[in-house]
Amino acid sequence: MEPITLLLAAIGIAAGYGASNVVTRRKIGSAEAAAQKELTKAKKEAAETAKKAQEEASRIAEQARRDEQKRRSEIKDIEQRLLNREESLDKKLDELDKRAENMRRSEDEVEGLKNEIRDIRVKQQDKLEKIAKLTKADAAEKLMAMTERDIRGDLVNLIAKMQNEAREEAEEKAGHIIVAAMERMAGEVTAERTVTAVKLEDEEMKGRIIGKEGRNIQALQRATGVDIMVDDTPGMIILSSFDPVRREVARQALEMLLKDGRVHPGRIEEVVDKAQKQVMKDVMRAGEDAAREVGIIGVPKELLQLLGELKYRTSYGQNVLKHSTEMAHLAGVIAEMIGADVKTSKYAALMHDVGKALTHKMEGKHHHISAEMLRKYGAPEGVAHAAEAHHDDIEATTVEALVVRVVDAISAARPGARNISAENFVERMKDLENTALSFDGIEKAYAISAGREVRVFVYPQKVDDLQAIKLSRDIATKIESTMQYPGTIKVNVIRETRAVEFAK
């Protein structure tokens, strides 16, 4: 490159730099002027704002001062009013003190007057005692003695008259109540018997019932414990037993056999078992029906079971369940007439003899057993006591217990209601069976043929053939030594061994 060219370039650069510095200094000077202007403006605005703030603070301070003066004035007024009220209260307290003082003075005056009156009365009493020559206590005692002497005879006569009238009225009213109850409950009298007749549609069925060599009838008698008489009455089979439950089981079993037509020892045992279960259902139904008939609800199932068993129990020939329901109706009528608890009276009358369903299982009198069962299964204590007290060995402490005792006598005393000879016969049959059952190894025992035979079934695992022979002799000896009976009694000990297996 040529030297001239380089020189020109250097001169150009130098000129540009100088111009740039001039422009820059001008811009800086303009900015400083603008900043100074803005600073002056800001200072002016700040001074104005401070002035306004100072004025506002002065105004607020003045307002606060005025409010403070106003509050002080109000407080001063309140204090003045309180002072005035306090002065008023002081004046009222002074007045009350004066009134209290006056009242104390009045009370002292009244007490003084009372003392004066008391002294006057004492002086008068002393003068009267000196005049009458008697003290106050002696005068009162003498007056009472004179009055008692004057009216004693009249009182004794009046009391005797009232007692006689009450006794006559009570007897007459009791008679009316009992007669009215008996008229409203004129139930039928049904005597329980010891035989049941089963009607035959075909006379040829007797041969099936008897079976070959009498095996069928013997199996039926052995399973039920009932005497079966086939040839005595045409068209009838007679079942004889003192136990109504056994007769009912035998009747139902016999009717099932006659209806089915298949009669053999195996079938007989099956049908008897079914009949026993059906009788238990009938027992429960009978108890429920009896409770429903007399209007007693909420009776536990265990008590209903015992009540239903009374359907097959008799007392002196009288059906115990019918006797109990009749008593419940009578108890309700009488309890309503005399104002006793109707529900308790009916409940106790209905359940008073449930112990008779257990007398062959539990020791004790039937009315004690009845009360024990009622308490055990949650019956009210009033019901249990009334049931237990229907005989004379327990004192009747409630009206309901007396009602039950009365209706028991009414139901039992009606003409034809009870048969003493039948009851004695049943008791003798039970004693005969219990004598046999008192020995070990015996499964069951039946008194049949009107007590002329005792049929005893033993467990073959516990009693062998030789022991069976000895057992029959021991039972006969005990019967001879403990019981009284006409004629002779046959003791028949039966030992039967069975082996059963099924082919599958």
Side-chain angles (χ1 to χ4, degrees):
M1 184 177 293
E2 293 181 358
I4 297 173
T5 303
L6 294 172
L7 181 59
L8 290 173
I11 293 170
I13 292 170
Y17 178 75
S20 174
N21 288 335
V22 172
V23 171
T24 301
R25 283 195 299 269
R26 287 179 180 175
K27 287 182 178 180
I28 291 172
S30 178
E32 288 177 351
Q36 187 65 34
K37 186 178 180 180
E38 288 294 330
L39 179 60
T40 302
K41 182 179 179 181
K43 288 180 178 180
K44 185 178 180 180
E45 289 178 353
E48 291 178 354
T49 302
K51 184 179 181 181
K52 289 180 180 179
Q54 187 176 2
E55 293 175 353
E56 181 66 21
S58 299
R59 187 184 65 77
I60 293 171
E62 181 65 21
Q63 182 65 34
R65 185 180 61 77
R66 288 197 295 269
D67 291 342
E68 180 67 20
Q69 289 178 350
K70 184 178 179 181
R71 284 194 295 272
R72 286 181 179 180
S73 177
E74 291 177 351
I75 292 171
K76 189 174 182 181
D77 292 339
I78 292 171
E79 289 176 349
Q80 185 63 38
R81 286 198 299 271
L82 288 174
L83 289 172
N84 295 335
R85 186 170 295 177
E86 186 176 355
E87 291 176 357
S88 176
L89 288 174
D90 290 339
K91 291 179 181 180
K92 290 182 178 179
L93 287 173
D94 293 339
E95 291 178 359
L96 288 174
D97 290 339
K98 292 178 180 179
R99 290 181 182 178
E101 183 66 25
N102 294 332
M103 290 181 66
R104 282 195 293 270
R105 291 176 182 174
S106 299
E107 288 177 356
D108 293 339
E109 292 176 358
V110 170
E111 187 64 27
L113 291 174
K114 286 182 178 179
N115 291 332
E116 291 179 5
I117 294 171
R118 198 175 293 113
D119 293 339
I120 293 171
R121 186 176 296 169
V122 171
K123 291 178 181 179
Q124 289 178 345
Q125 183 176 338
D126 292 339
K127 290 180 180 180
L128 288 173
E129 289 179 355
K130 289 179 181 179
I131 294 171
K133 296 181 180 180
L134 289 172
T135 63
K136 181 181 178 180
D138 293 338
E141 184 178 354
K142 190 171 184 180
L143 179 62
M144 290 296 295
M146 292 172 61
T147 305
E148 182 181 357
R149 185 170 57 252
D150 292 339
I151 66 173
R152 177 179 294 176
D154 295 336
L155 286 175
V156 171
N157 294 331
L158 179 61
I159 292 172
K161 181 180 178 183
M162 294 180 67
Q163 287 178 342
N164 292 331
E165 290 179 354
R167 188 179 297 107
E168 292 174 359
E169 184 179 355
E171 292 177 356
E172 183 179 358
K173 189 173 182 180
H176 285 309
I177 291 174
I178 292 174
V179 170
M182 293 174 69
E183 287 177 350
R184 291 174 62 179
M185 272 302 300
E188 62 179 8
V189 177
T190 303
E192 291 291 331
R193 300 176 180 175
T194 59
V195 296
T196 299
V198 179
K199 186 177 181 181
L200 295 176
E201 296 182 358
D202 187 359
E203 192 71 19
E204 294 180 357
M205 288 300 297
K206 286 187 177 182
R208 293 188 182 182
I209 295 300
I210 295 172
K212 186 177 181 181
E213 298 179 354
R215 286 183 298 179
N216 291 345
I217 194 170
Q218 290 177 6
L220 191 57
Q221 288 179 338
R222 184 167 59 248
T224 60
V226 174
D227 284 332
I228 302 176
M229 293 168 280
V230 177
D231 296 331
D232 293 350
T233 306
M236 292 283 184
I237 293 179
I238 305 300
L239 308 177
S240 175
S241 174
F242 72 93
D243 190 334
V245 178
R246 295 182 198 166
R247 287 206 315 273
E248 180 64 17
V249 171
R251 184 189 67 79
Q252 292 192 16
L254 191 57
E255 289 180 351
M256 291 180 191
L257 290 170
L258 294 175
K259 185 176 181 180
D260 185 39
R262 294 177 296 163
V263 185
H264 54 82
R267 175 64 176 165
I268 287 172
E269 292 183 0
E270 178 184 345
V271 170
V272 169
D273 183 63
K274 187 183 296 185
Q276 288 174 342
K277 294 179 180 178
Q278 183 60 42
V279 168
M280 290 300 102
K281 292 181 180 179
D282 294 342
V283 162
M284 192 66 185
R285 189 180 302 113
E288 293 173 350
D289 292 343
R292 191 182 304 113
E293 178 185 345
V294 300
I296 301 298
I297 60 175
V299 181
K301 290 185 178 180
E302 295 83 358
L303 291 177
L304 290 177
Q305 177 79 21
L306 295 175
L307 182 64
E309 290 185 17
L310 299 182
K311 177 181 179 181
Y312 302 106
R313 302 288 172 184
T314 60
S315 178
Y316 296 96
Q318 184 182 27
N319 184 275
V320 181
L321 182 58
K322 291 181 180 178
H323 164 63
S324 299
T325 54
E326 181 183 63
M327 275 183 58
H329 288 300
L330 286 170
V333 173
I334 293 178
E336 185 177 2
M337 289 182 177
I338 65 175
D341 191 317
V342 175
K343 182 178 179 181
T344 299
S345 301
K346 294 174 72 173
Y347 197 165
L350 184 64
M351 296 292 173
H352 78 290
D353 269 350
V354 293
K356 289 186 176 180
L358 296 170
T359 50
H360 59 294
K361 300 178 183 178
M362 297 177 62
E363 293 291 334
K365 297 181 179 180
H366 72 276
H367 51 288
H368 297 310
I369 299 174
S370 298
E372 183 180 346
M373 293 298 104
L374 287 167
R375 293 188 179 101
K376 178 179 179 180
Y377 295 116
E381 177 58 28
V383 174
H385 169 70
E388 188 174 19
H390 78 273
H391 284 308
D392 294 334
D393 60 341
I394 296 293
E395 182 181 359
T397 59
T398 62
V399 178
E400 291 76 18
L402 291 172
V403 169
V404 175
R405 183 176 292 184
V406 168
V407 297
D408 183 42
I410 293 174
S411 177
R414 291 187 297 113
R418 294 194 168 186
N419 186 344
I420 297 178
S421 60
E423 182 69 12
N424 292 336
F425 169 75
V426 171
E427 289 297 327
R428 188 165 67 86
M429 296 298 100
K430 289 181 178 178
D431 291 342
L432 197 57
E433 290 184 354
N434 291 333
T435 300
L437 290 171
S438 63
F439 291 87
D440 295 331
I442 295 179
E443 180 181 5
K444 51 189 176 181
Y446 298 135
I448 61 176
S449 300
R452 291 187 296 274
E453 179 181 352
V454 181
R455 189 166 293 174
V456 181
F457 298 87
V458 299
Y459 292 103
Q461 302 88 350
K462 298 181 179 180
V463 180
D464 57 24
D465 292 338
L466 292 176
Q467 289 175 331
I469 297 172
K470 182 178 181 298
L471 185 61
S472 64
R473 184 171 64 253
D474 292 342
I475 294 174
T477 302
K478 187 172 183 178
I479 292 173
E480 290 175 355
S481 61
T482 59
M483 296 184 65
Q484 294 181 354
Y485 52 90
T488 60
I489 297 177
K490 177 183 178 182
V491 179
N492 188 1
V493 176
I494 299 173
R495 178 179 183 272
E496 182 181 40
T497 302
R498 294 186 183 185
V500 180
E501 191 55 62
F502 298 93
K504 300 180 181 179

